[in-house]
């Protein structure tokens, strides 16, 4: 019966998707029926709430009206929601039963209906209402005379209960205003867990009143006061978002040991780490003072963070200092601990017991999963093929062993991979071998934003809009996998995120103006649309090029993954080749002309700033290959000289320059190979061309 029900739900999702693909909703609703009428936005637009107006409802409805007024330019007669007995014939009526609880498996569903003269929202909780209002704003459309909501009937609910975003504030500190605008963005795409990575080798970012040396010596003065933490937690709660803190132990602990070296595994002087990578300093699990300090700290944090779960990290502890310590080795032998993993498990059980006294459950990276760890722990799966293990292996193992678990492998947004790669990774793909009970233990996933290369200036551009696509994977049906349509909708969502204060678009120009010394930046803007930062940590391979205080205002910082023109050009080339040169020729020529002219435009500003010298090859290489391809397109025959020039130029554009790579290099190769294959005159075979350029 369940299989039949699932089939009909899936069929309904696919049907509503095919009928409504022109809408720019993200995440895509579970069920949607599009009608033919519309409700025009008028000054008398009013909201009535048929229940006590909670703080969440008050904030959400007020922000909704401000954003709606801002988008439409309509001067509303009323700027706040009313109770039901205060007004008649409201435009938007809201019905809900209770305030939502910030816990797993809470009801976040909603029903949204619009007609030509009325909108209604029904939800069990006020959290569902928040999500309904976000969907309604995404539905806003216009013609040449007015703004309106189309007629729809939506029944929506999340596929997964845990839809998280982790932000690392240890490698680079991100002020409260940065966190708040990102919480607003999370709520806009229905994410509900903010995982706050607060400590690491490069910084301890929390005020501790029991052990103040932690923030005084371990933060370079950049930390959150306890009042600020309370403020962020409340801000998140008002948007239906849980906050899970992370104190990373026993490794990634250099900042802690800078303050308290006596609980380190090696008798040495520690100082805050300035580089990126995995380091040796590790807490001593045999020292009772370790548990005293962590116990006091966890007690403080338990008051500040009301969430059930407390993340203790636990990843990437290689145990070098444990291996070098005679007293730690003696402790292992005495307690029959055969490996460092067993020793870490011993420590984790002690920490679990401490947290349990404060009413908290342990959460940690997959390394905390041992035979003795209670199944009340939540396992955070992060390893995959890059770490030499099958993707989701720890996720499925945890579910089979009885643990609740979430997936982050595949959602490391800081890797600068195409968003399509993240989008198509499913926490629960069809080809899994889990039972129904085991599947229920897979709570969802988290996008992870490690900030070795991200400052408050660039954090938003690394997160958004791409995280919205991951949010859709956590919320929407598994049937929603149309990558092309995802990119189309993501472009609209990107624009709307600016309304919330996200700086992912505007800060590009801030960086480019800095690079050019406030000259015309058009030539550089063109380059940012086809160049992308190096991927999968190769920009800072080994963590040795950049320190935490190095400049992060370089050209690579202005570039983003999924360069916009590269996405378009890739599709144009594909269609051009598939149609044997019949389609999209004019559009391709237009791009090539723009790139061919770029170096001349770049030269006009190059002498105005020393920072432009190293960027010049990017413009020069792109201009040269574009000029050559334009010549080949325009001629019926091709000379060997053109042929050899083309090969040389294609090889040049492959080389990374200034920590960026040309996102269209493969597409230019494909285009060149196709063009040369159709021309006459060359006595060098196209097979040779393909061999050289591959």
């Amino acid at each position: 019966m369940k299989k039949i029900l699932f089939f009909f739900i899936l069929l309904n999702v696919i049907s509503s998707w095919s009928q409504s693909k022109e809408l720019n909703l993200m995440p895509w609703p579970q069920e949607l029926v599009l009608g033919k009428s519309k409700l025009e936005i008028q000054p008398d637009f009013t909201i009535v709430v048929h229940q006590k107006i909670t703080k969440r409802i008050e904030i959400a409805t007020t922000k909704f009206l401000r954003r709606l007024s801002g988008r439409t330019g309509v001067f509303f007669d009323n700027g706040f929601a009313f109770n039901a007995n205060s007004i008649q014939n409201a435009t938007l009526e809201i019905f809900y039963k209770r305030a939502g609880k910030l816990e797993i498996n809470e009801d976040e569903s909603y029903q949204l209906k619009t007609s030509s003269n009325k909108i209604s929202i029904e939800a069990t909780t006020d959290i569902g209402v928040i999500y309904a209002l976000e969907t309604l704003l995404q539905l806003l459309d216009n013609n040449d005379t007015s703004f309106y909501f189309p007629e729809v009937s939506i029944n929506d609910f999340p596929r997964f209960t845990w839809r998280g975003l982790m932000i690392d504030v240890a490698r680079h500190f991100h002020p409260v205003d940065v966190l708040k605008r990102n919480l607003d963005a999370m709520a806009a795409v229905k994410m509900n867990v903010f995982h706050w990575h607060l400590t690491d080798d490069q910084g301890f970012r929390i005020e501790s009143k029991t052990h103040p040396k932690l923030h005084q010596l371990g933060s370079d003065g950049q930390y959150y006061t306890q009042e600020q933490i309370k403020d962020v937690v409340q801000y998140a709660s008002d948007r239906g978002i849980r906050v899970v803190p992370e104190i990373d132990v026993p490794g990634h602990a250099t900042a802690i040991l800078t303050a308290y070296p006596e609980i380190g595994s090696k008798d040495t002087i520690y100082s805050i780490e300035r580089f990126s990578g995995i380091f040796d300093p590790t807490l001593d699990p045999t020292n009772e003072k370790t548990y005293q300090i962590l116990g006091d700290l966890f007690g403080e944090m338990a008051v500040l963070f009301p969430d059930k779960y407390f993340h203790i990290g636990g990843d990437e502890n290689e145990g070098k200092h444990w291996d070098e310590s005679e007293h730690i080795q003696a402790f292992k032998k005495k307690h029959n601990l055969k490996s460092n993993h067993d020793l870490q498990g011993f420590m984790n059980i002690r920490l679990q017991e401490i947290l349990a006294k404060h009413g908290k459950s342990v959460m940690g990276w997959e390394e905390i999963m041992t035979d003795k760890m209670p199944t009340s722990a939540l396992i955070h799966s992060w390893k995959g093929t890059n770490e030499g293990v099958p993707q989701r292996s720890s996720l499925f193992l945890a579910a089979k062993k009885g643990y609740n678990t979430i997936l982050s492998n595949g959602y490391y947004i800081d890797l600068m991979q195409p968003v399509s790669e993240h989008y198509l990774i499913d926490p629960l793909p069809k080809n899994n071998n889990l039972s129904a009970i085991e599947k229920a233990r897979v709570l969802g996933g988290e996008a992870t934003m490690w900030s070795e290369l991200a400052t408050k200036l660039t954090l938003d551009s690394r997160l958004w809009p791409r995280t919205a696509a991951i949010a859709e994977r956590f919320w929407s049906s598994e049937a929603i996998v149309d990558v092309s349509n995802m990119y189309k909708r993501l472009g609209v969502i990107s624009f709307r995120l600016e309304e919330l204060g996200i700086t992912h678009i505007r800060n590009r120009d801030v960086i480019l103006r800095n690079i050019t010394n406030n000259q015309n930046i058009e030539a550089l803007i063109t380059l940012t649309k086809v160049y992308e930062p190096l991927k999968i940590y190769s920009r800072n391979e080994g963590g040795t090029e950049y320190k935490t205080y190095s400049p992060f205002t370089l050209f690579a910082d202005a570039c983003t993954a999924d360069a916009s023109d590269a996405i378009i050009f890739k599709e144009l080339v594909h269609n051009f080749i598939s149609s044997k040169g019949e389609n999209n020729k004019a559009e391709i020529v237009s791009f090539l002309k723009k790139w061919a002219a770029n170096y001349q435009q770049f030269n006009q500003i190059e002498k105005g700033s020393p920072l432009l010298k190293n960027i010049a090859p990017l413009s020069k290489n792109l201009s040269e290959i574009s000029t050559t391809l334009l010549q080949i397109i325009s001629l019926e025959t091709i000379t060997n000289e053109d042929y050899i020039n083309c090969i040389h130029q294609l090889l040049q554009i492959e080389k990374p320059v200034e920590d960026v790579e040309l996102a269209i290099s493969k597409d230019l190769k494909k285009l060149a190979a196709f063009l040369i294959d159709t021309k006459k005159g060359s006595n060098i075979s196209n097979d040779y061309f393909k061999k050289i350029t591959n």
Side-chain angles (χ1 to χ4, degrees):
M1 182 65 185
K2 287 183 178 179
K3 289 184 177 179
I4 295 173
L5 181 60
F6 173 78
F7 172 77
F8 279 110
I9 291 174
L10 197 63
L11 194 64
N12 195 26
V13 167
I14 294 171
S15 175
S16 66
W17 168 254
S18 61
Q19 294 173 11
S20 315
K21 288 177 71 173
E22 294 307 311
L23 297 176
N24 292 302
L25 305 179
M26 186 174 281
W28 192 261
Q30 299 290 345
E31 301 174 18
L32 183 150
V33 178
L34 184 63
K36 295 182 178 180
S37 67
K38 60 186 178 183
L39 186 150
E40 291 190 1
I41 310 302
Q42 301 291 345
D44 62 355
F45 190 101
T46 50
I47 300 176
V48 158
V49 181
H50 291 265
Q51 177 61 286
K52 180 182 178 181
I53 299 179
T54 64
K55 185 181 179 184
R56 283 191 192 126
I57 295 291
E58 180 183 10
I59 291 172
T61 52
T62 302
K63 286 190 67 176
F64 171 86
L65 287 168
R66 299 297 178 275
R67 291 162 69 189
L68 183 61
S69 175
R71 288 190 194 179
T72 62
V74 174
F75 287 70
F76 291 140
D77 298 333
N78 297 291
F80 303 91
F82 295 92
N83 283 311
N85 57 1
S86 303
I87 194 172
Q88 300 293 321
N89 300 319
T91 315
L92 168 57
E93 292 188 288
I94 296 174
F95 304 83
Y96 76 102
K97 296 179 181 178
R98 59 178 174 83
K101 300 176 182 177
L102 296 180
E103 59 187 29
I104 62 173
N105 297 318
E106 176 59 296
D107 190 331
E108 300 170 292
S109 65
Y110 66 90
Q111 292 77 45
L112 169 64
K113 294 182 180 180
T114 68
S115 65
S116 60
N117 61 356
K118 185 72 67 176
I119 305 171
S120 69
I121 290 173
E122 295 184 20
T124 301
T125 66
D126 53 3
I127 297 173
V129 173
I130 292 174
Y131 295 150
L133 289 170
E134 291 293 347
T135 299
L136 184 57
L137 273 172
Q138 289 184 1
L139 284 167
L140 184 67
D141 204 345
N142 68 276
N143 50 35
D144 59 352
T145 59
S146 65
F147 290 87
Y148 62 87
F149 291 121
E151 179 187 357
V152 294
S153 177
I154 292 175
N155 179 36
D156 202 10
F157 50 88
R159 183 179 172 211
F160 293 106
T161 186
W162 193 295
R163 307 179 303 283
L165 171 62
M166 187 221 74
I167 297 180
D168 164 22
V169 299
R171 275 54 176 262
H172 279 104
F173 180 72
H174 300 294
V176 168
D177 64 316
V178 175
L179 299 180
K180 284 184 173 181
R181 73 188 183 219
N182 278 283
L183 287 166
D184 284 331
M186 287 176 64
V189 294
K190 304 178 176 62
M191 300 184 91
N192 66 352
V193 181
F194 170 40
H195 172 179
W196 203 350
H197 184 86
L198 287 158
T199 71
D200 219 294
D201 295 295
Q202 296 81 2
F204 186 93
R205 304 300 183 191
I206 325 157
E207 177 191 20
S208 172
K209 295 183 179 179
T210 60
H211 298 283
K213 284 199 296 184
L214 285 168
H215 68 267
Q216 291 170 352
L217 301 181
S219 72
D220 292 316
Q222 293 186 310
Y223 62 90
Y224 305 100
T225 68
Q226 293 198 3
E227 287 305 309
Q228 286 177 316
I229 290 172
K230 291 176 185 177
D231 181 36
V232 171
V233 170
Q234 184 61 55
Y235 193 88
S237 174
D238 290 341
R239 285 146 185 81
I241 297 172
R242 299 164 45 211
V243 181
V244 175
E246 180 183 353
I247 308 295
D248 202 351
V249 293
H252 290 286
T254 306
I256 294 175
L257 296 176
T258 298
Y260 292 97
E262 62 267 31
I263 64 172
S265 298
K266 185 175 183 177
D267 184 11
T268 186
I269 296 173
Y270 297 90
S271 59
I272 297 172
E273 186 56 59
R274 304 304 179 186
F275 286 107
S276 304
I278 303 172
F279 303 97
D280 298 327
T282 313
L283 300 185
D284 183 352
T286 73
N287 187 340
E288 283 303 310
K289 189 171 182 179
T290 300
Y291 301 104
Q292 176 198 334
I293 291 175
L294 291 181
D296 293 342
L297 179 63
F298 287 2
E300 285 186 279
M301 297 303 105
V303 175
L304 295 173
F305 295 95
D307 198 81
K308 172 184 176 180
Y309 289 104
F310 192 104
H311 206 300
I312 61 170
D315 62 317
E316 298 180 323
N317 173 31
E318 298 182 350
K320 182 180 179 182
H321 285 184
W322 289 356
D323 293 337
E324 296 172 352
S325 169
E326 291 184 6
H327 80 269
I328 290 177
Q329 292 305 309
F331 183 91
K332 284 172 64 178
K333 187 175 181 180
K334 177 181 178 181
H335 291 84
N336 196 30
L337 301 171
K338 297 181 179 180
S339 67
N340 286 338
H341 190 238
D342 291 339
L343 178 59
Q344 184 168 333
F346 170 88
M347 182 179 186
N348 289 340
I349 295 299
R350 292 284 303 270
L351 298 181
Q352 181 268 331
E353 291 169 351
I354 291 171
L355 288 169
K357 292 178 182 178
H358 296 287
K360 303 295 184 183
S361 294
V362 164
M363 178 180 177
W365 303 106
E366 61 189 65
E367 288 92 330
I368 74 165
M369 183 168 50
T370 61
D371 292 338
K372 294 183 180 180
M373 177 60 72
T375 55
S376 59
L378 193 154
I379 306 302
H380 196 163
S381 173
W382 71 275
K383 292 184 179 180
T385 53
N386 288 339
E387 293 74 35
V389 298
Q391 192 174 52
R392 306 182 192 85
S393 56
S394 61
L395 184 85
F396 291 168
L397 180 61
K400 286 180 177 294
K401 285 189 170 187
Y403 296 97
N404 282 340
T405 182
I406 64 169
L407 180 68
S408 276
N409 182 262
Y411 307 123
Y412 272 51
I413 203 74
D414 63 308
L415 292 179
M416 307 310 291
Q417 293 172 292
V419 69
S420 56
E421 294 193 22
H422 303 301
Y423 185 67
L424 294 177
I425 291 172
D426 197 306
L428 269 178
K430 292 180 181 178
N431 59 339
N432 67 75
N433 60 353
L434 301 180
S435 69
I437 293 175
E438 292 164 349
K439 288 178 184 177
R441 295 182 185 132
V442 178
L443 302 183
E446 278 187 4
T448 50
M449 182 61 227
W450 302 105
S451 67
E452 288 93 339
L453 298 173
T455 67
K456 64 181 182 180
L457 183 69
T458 60
L459 178 73
D460 294 6
S461 70
R462 274 59 191 134
L463 280 171
W464 306 103
R466 299 155 68 236
T467 300
I470 298 175
E472 178 161 278
R473 181 56 52 234
F474 297 157
W475 179 282
S476 303
S477 165
E478 63 186 286
I480 306 301
V481 290
D482 185 332
V483 171
S484 178
N485 186 269
M486 176 273 289
Y487 273 117
K488 189 268 291 187
R489 290 180 289 127
L490 198 63
V492 176
I493 298 302
S494 177
F495 166 58
R496 292 305 182 193
L497 286 167
E498 274 205 308
E499 171 188 285
L500 298 170
I502 296 299
T503 63
H504 62 304
I505 298 174
R506 69 192 74 170
N507 278 4
R508 176 200 66 185
D509 292 359
V510 172
I511 295 171
L512 295 183
R513 281 191 290 271
N514 177 69
I515 291 171
T516 63
N517 195 20
N518 199 31
Q519 298 181 84
N520 188 310
I521 60 175
E522 288 304 313
L524 292 188
I525 289 176
T526 296
L527 296 177
T528 63
K529 293 180 179 180
V530 289
Y531 281 97
E532 297 176 353
L534 297 180
K535 297 171 175 48
I536 315 182
Y537 304 133
S538 55
R539 176 180 177 185
N540 191 29
E541 190 170 359
T544 58
E545 181 181 358
Y546 291 87
K547 296 180 181 180
T548 52
Y549 49 80
S550 296
F552 293 92
T553 52
L554 307 177
F555 183 71
D557 301 298
C559 296
T560 62
D562 297 290
S564 56
D565 283 354
I567 295 171
I568 298 169
F569 189 72
K570 180 183 183 70
E571 187 171 356
L572 292 175
V573 170
H574 174 76
N575 292 338
F576 180 72
I577 295 173
S578 299
S579 66
K580 301 189 184 303
E582 297 295 327
N583 296 332
N584 299 123
K585 180 178 178 180
E587 293 93 333
I588 289 173
V589 167
S590 177
F591 269 119
L592 293 175
K593 285 182 176 179
K594 178 171 69 172
W595 298 329
N598 185 265
Y599 192 43
Q600 183 178 357
Q601 189 178 11
F602 185 92
N603 279 335
Q604 294 174 4
I605 62 170
E606 186 175 358
K607 294 181 180 179
S609 170
L611 293 174
L612 291 169
K613 181 179 179 181
N614 294 336
I615 304 172
L618 300 173
S619 179
K620 183 174 183 290
N621 293 341
L622 181 60
S623 294
E624 287 180 347
I625 185 60
S626 298
T627 300
T628 297
L629 290 175
L630 283 169
Q631 290 173 347
I632 294 174
I633 287 175
S634 65
L635 299 173
E636 289 189 9
T637 60
I638 176 173
T639 66
N640 285 345
E641 183 181 0
D642 288 336
Y643 196 106
I644 292 169
N645 282 341
C646 188
I647 289 176
H648 173 74
Q649 291 161 2
L650 287 170
L651 292 175
Q652 280 295 111
I653 64 172
E654 274 193 327
K655 299 175 183 178
V657 176
E658 289 296 287
D659 291 331
V660 299
E661 58 190 6
L662 185 60
I664 56 170
S665 62
K666 290 182 179 179
D667 305 299
L668 290 171
K669 284 183 182 180
K670 290 177 182 178
L671 177 62
F674 174 79
L675 291 172
I676 289 170
D677 205 31
T678 62
K679 302 296 176 180
K680 301 175 183 178
S682 173
N683 59 16
I684 305 176
S685 73
N686 202 29
D687 289 339
Y688 176 76
F689 175 84
K690 291 177 180 177
K691 180 180 179 180
I692 293 294
T693 55
N694 286 337

